[in-house]
Amino acid sequence: MLRNKEGKTAEDFTYELANGKKQKLSDTKSKYTFLTFYDPDCSHCKETMHQLRDTPQLVQLFLQLQVQVLAIDPWGDRTKWKNYQSQLSDQWINGFDGESKILSFNLYDLKASPTIYLLDENKRVLLKDTYLQQVIAYFVKTNS
């Protein structure tokens, strides 16, 4: 896929929050954005989300490095998304693509779940279609 290559600006999109408000990826203000597209029914997604939420060292690392987790459900089942809210950290932004634009316009290559991108403060792609362990390795290498 030609979109969202490393070093390029990530495709912007609008998502809905649990309170009904809409935001855009470009509205996210942080040094880094850990953008993850997940499916509430996906066991690997659940494992990754729980690891990210429940590992104290990881939570601390993300806090120190000013990493904002932006978790997006692009698959369009609002009930499943709402029911999954309690499984995610209150510190994260949890969004829903109610208009299915991410999938309809192929804004991101979502072959697997979760699909993870690491973005810098300008929303440039640092890591594309990566894994949690690779993100941690990136931070260790960059900050050592």
Side-chain angles (χ1 to χ4, degrees), residues 39-51 84 87 114:
D39 178 347
D41 286 337
C42 160
S43 61
H44 187 61
C45 296
K46 289 178 184 178
E47 180 183 316
T48 299
M49 297 300 205
H50 287 267
Q51 188 177 7
Y84 194 68
Q87 301 299 308

Side-chain angles (χ1 to χ4, degrees), residues 44-99:
H44 187 61
C45 296
K46 289 178 184 178
E47 180 183 316
T48 299
M49 297 300 205
H50 287 267
Q51 188 177 7
L52 190 55
R53 183 193 72 194
D54 298 335
T55 307
Q57 298 90 335
L58 200 48
V59 171
Q60 187 61 34
L61 178 69
F62 273 40
L63 190 63
Q64 283 176 333
L65 296 176
Q66 302 169 45
V67 180
Q68 176 64 64
V69 176
L70 176 55
I72 301 293
D73 177 354
W75 278 277
D77 189 324
R78 188 178 304 277
T79 302
K80 286 181 183 176
W81 171 68
K82 286 223 178 227
N83 290 339
Y84 194 68
Q85 300 279 317
S86 64
Q87 301 299 308
L88 303 177
S89 170
D90 294 338
Q91 305 304 309
W92 301 350
I93 299 171
N94 185 21
F96 180 72
D97 182 11
E99 298 174 8

